[in-house]
Amino acid sequence: MKPEFNFFQHWYPLSPVEDLDPKQPTSVTLLGLRLVIWKPKSSETFQVFLDRCPHRLAPLSQGRIDDETGSLMCSYHGWQFDRQGICTHIPQAENPELVSNNQKNLCAAALPVRQQQDLLWVWPDAKSSEQAANTPLPLSPQIDATKGFVWSSFVRDLEYDWQTLVENVADPSHVPFSHHGVQGDRKQARPIPIKIVQSTPNLIEATIGTDVQRTITFEPPCRLEYAFSFNDGSKLFGLITYCIPVSPGKSRIIAYSTRNFGKTLHHLTPRWWDHLSNRNLVIDGDMVLLQQQEYFLQQTQSTESWKTAYQLPTSADRLVIEFRNWFDRYCHGQLPWSEVRINVPPTRNINSDREQILDRYKQHTQHCRSCREALLIVQRLQAVLLIYFAITVCAVALLPDRLQLTLGLPLIVTALLGLGAYAWLRFWLRPRFYFVDYIHADR
């Protein structure tokens, strides 16, 4: 029996637009489909194709945007495609009619796309483009500057499945413990009375009955949003997450934090610093826990379901239960990997390589324009500071004795301060773009 919920006929955000490079193609995976993001020179929007050239299936993400035509060129044989995927040039063609007469057979597979709320959206089913045109994007009402909101985006690839990601984000009770000292305090943990307001195939809504008014909205398959209000509803803040299925054992999260107050601090805080000091720490705090939780659940699924493998006695677990029931009821408890010819083993081994599991560079930095640019500046500053130290020491050594104290000493002091700054950049700041081990016992 076919599942009621069709994952391929929905809109998904692939990336914040600010993180995409308009000068070269970008590879990304969604629902097991390898895609290429690129921007024609004459277009205001990015385009998304299946990442394979119709000629001999070479990856178009390894191609380039032609300087003269602005089309996407395959780097294997030089075929070119316009924004609609139509082949416009084959260097090996004996005559131009070969291209014009066979365009339907020579097209790259272009997918429906939109750009809204600073995100690039894609509809992964090319055959239902009319349905895509009539389906609204799962937008957040909190990403709206006209309502006084400010926001900041974050993206990271994760080492666990989509359903594990959704389950985790839908569980606010883990925050004081998994994120102690970052976004929570284990000593302040309290009961969280969650009430399910509605549950349909296309929407789950819940409320949390505490002093601060909180609502949680899950709009399958990807938007999971928290909205908080306090001070008689005049101050609003929220967390908007898009949980994206990538491949078996892999997912991606795009997260926005929004608020309608504290705007000066928001504008003064560099995006990359927020990622290093806050956002990545939150992901790090969950990563190892969730990967191993997923492994243990997969081990039990041959003999029992999550309903018996999990013990969920409190109201804090109600949204997790509701999501798992939704996933069983409408998706048969599985993602549609078989539709893209991916065989999923019953269980996967635990990855004990923490540097790989918590690899910030591959999972985040290389995808984030702010962090890439900040890392480049850090690397250049290190080189400048080292060169300055070496030149200063050599110059002071050549000074005559009468200038050693009056001129040489201040120069040496500044050189040592520069060396200290170099050490801070090299041993404290730069590693945070690559890997920081997260040890819960030390927090």
Side-chain angles (χ1 to χ4, degrees):
M1 183 177 176
K2 194 173 183 179
E4 183 175 335
F5 191 86
N6 188 332
F7 277 88
F8 293 96
Q9 293 180 352
H10 287 272
W11 288 104
Y12 295 85
L14 294 179
S15 171
V17 174
E18 64 184 310
D19 290 330
L20 295 173
D21 188 348
K23 297 179 181 178
Q24 65 181 32
T26 301
S27 175
V28 68
T29 301
L30 170 67
L31 286 166
L33 299 171
R34 290 188 62 84
L35 310 175
V36 56
I37 303 170
W38 70 287
K39 188 175 184 181
K41 284 189 174 182
S42 60
S43 174
E44 293 295 322
T45 61
F46 286 85
Q47 304 300 318
V48 179
F49 294 173
L50 292 182
D51 191 15
R52 53 178 182 260
C53 177
H55 177 210
R56 294 203 1 228
L57 308 183
L60 292 170
S61 58
Q62 295 300 311
R64 62 190 303 273
I65 299 168
D66 186 74
D67 295 329
E68 296 182 2
T69 64
S71 298
L72 179 61
M73 176 191 289
C74 178
S75 289
Y76 196 17
H77 293 92
W79 287 32
Q80 293 190 30
F81 306 91
D82 67 12
R83 59 182 299 174
Q84 296 176 310
I86 296 172
C87 183
T88 58
H89 181 59
I90 298 178
Q92 299 81 17
E94 290 83 357
N95 60 75
E97 293 181 357
L98 177 67
V99 178
S100 58
N101 292 339
N102 294 278
Q103 284 185 338
K104 289 185 178 180
N105 297 325
L106 304 177
C107 287
L111 301 177
V113 293
R114 293 189 197 172
Q115 279 183 209
Q116 203 163 336
Q117 288 193 345
D118 300 332
L119 292 169
L120 175 65
W121 302 82
V122 69
W123 181 276
D125 181 18
K127 298 178 181 178
S128 57
S129 57
E130 185 175 342
Q131 182 181 345
N134 296 318
T135 302
L137 298 175
L139 301 176
S140 168
Q142 299 185 78
I143 304 179
D144 189 344
T146 64
K147 297 178 181 179
F149 283 102
V150 291
W151 58 85
S152 177
S153 64
F154 172 80
V155 60
R156 184 158 167 179
D157 293 330
L158 307 171
E159 297 295 314
Y160 43 83
D161 276 324
W162 169 86
Q163 59 268 36
T164 303
L165 170 58
V166 174
E167 179 184 292
N168 179 61
V169 179
D171 169 28
S173 64
H174 80 282
V175 173
F177 301 95
S178 292
H179 310 308
H180 173 75
V182 181
Q183 288 189 339
D185 183 343
R186 62 176 71 99
K187 293 182 179 180
Q188 300 298 319
R190 298 289 186 273
I192 301 180
I194 294 179
K195 179 182 178 181
I196 304 301
V197 177
Q198 68 168 308
S199 182
T200 70
N202 297 308
L203 189 69
I204 299 175
E205 286 187 343
T207 58
I208 301 176
T210 60
D211 295 338
V212 178
Q213 184 179 347
R214 291 185 281 183
T215 61
I216 310 173
T217 304
F218 176 50
E219 184 179 359
C222 56
R223 183 172 74 95
L224 210 170
E225 177 171 331
Y226 283 71
F228 305 84
S229 66
F230 59 96
N231 196 22
D232 297 327
S234 61
K235 291 188 176 181
L236 308 171
F237 66 98
L239 172 67
I240 299 98
T241 64
Y242 290 99
C243 306
I244 303 162
V246 173
S247 59
K250 307 284 185 180
S251 58
R252 168 176 278 203
I253 186 169
I254 297 176
Y256 281 86
S257 59
T258 67
R259 63 175 182 259
N260 67 351
F261 59 93
K263 299 177 187 179
T264 301
L265 179 62
H266 168 82
H267 292 302
L268 291 176
T269 304
R271 182 173 177 241
W272 64 269
W273 178 255
D274 179 46
H275 292 178
L276 257 63
S277 62
N278 182 25
R279 305 292 192 92
N280 273 315
L281 281 173
V282 172
I283 300 298
D284 292 343
D286 287 332
M287 190 80 79
V288 175
L289 298 175
L290 295 179
Q291 191 199 50
Q292 296 195 21
Q293 170 199 314
E294 183 172 278
Y295 169 77
F296 293 130
L297 180 61
Q298 288 171 346
Q299 276 191 318
T300 66
Q301 284 183 330
S302 60
T303 57
E304 58 180 324
S305 76
W306 63 270
K307 295 180 180 180
T308 53
Y310 287 171
Q311 302 299 319
L312 306 170
T314 73
S315 62
D317 298 315
R318 283 177 182 165
L319 190 52
V320 171
I321 294 171
E322 194 63 35
F323 164 68
R324 281 289 177 179
N325 284 331
W326 175 91
F327 193 44
D328 286 347
R329 187 180 303 120
Y330 302 113
C331 311
H332 297 177
Q334 59 187 357
L335 287 161
W337 303 127
S338 60
E339 294 186 35
V340 288
R341 299 184 179 87
I342 294 178
N343 295 319
V344 183
T347 59
R348 294 183 291 271
N349 294 328
I350 291 178
N351 186 350
S352 300
D353 186 346
R354 298 179 72 91
E355 290 194 22
Q356 182 179 353
I357 299 170
L358 300 172
D359 188 340
R360 288 186 178 184
Y361 185 83
K362 289 184 178 179
Q363 296 167 2
H364 171 73
T365 304
Q366 68 174 353
H367 305 304
C368 173
R369 181 189 297 271
S370 300
C371 290
R372 287 196 309 269
E373 292 177 351
L375 176 59
L376 182 60
I377 291 172
V378 167
Q379 292 169 333
R380 288 175 176 174
L381 275 176
Q382 286 179 236
V384 169
L385 290 169
L386 270 185
I387 292 170
Y388 174 75
F389 178 80
I391 292 174
T392 302
V393 170
C394 293
V396 169
L398 296 174
L399 288 175
D401 292 343
R402 60 188 175 84
L403 295 178
Q404 289 284 342
L405 186 61
T406 57
L407 182 59
L409 183 59
L411 287 174
I412 288 296
V413 170
T414 59
L416 290 174
L417 289 173
L419 190 62
Y422 166 83
W424 181 78
L425 293 171
R426 175 67 179 85
F427 299 107
W428 191 89
L429 185 60
R430 184 179 173 184
R432 279 160 173 74
F433 291 97
Y434 291 94
F435 164 75
V436 176
D437 203 358
Y438 198 101
I439 309 296
H440 285 276
D442 294 341
R443 292 183 173 271

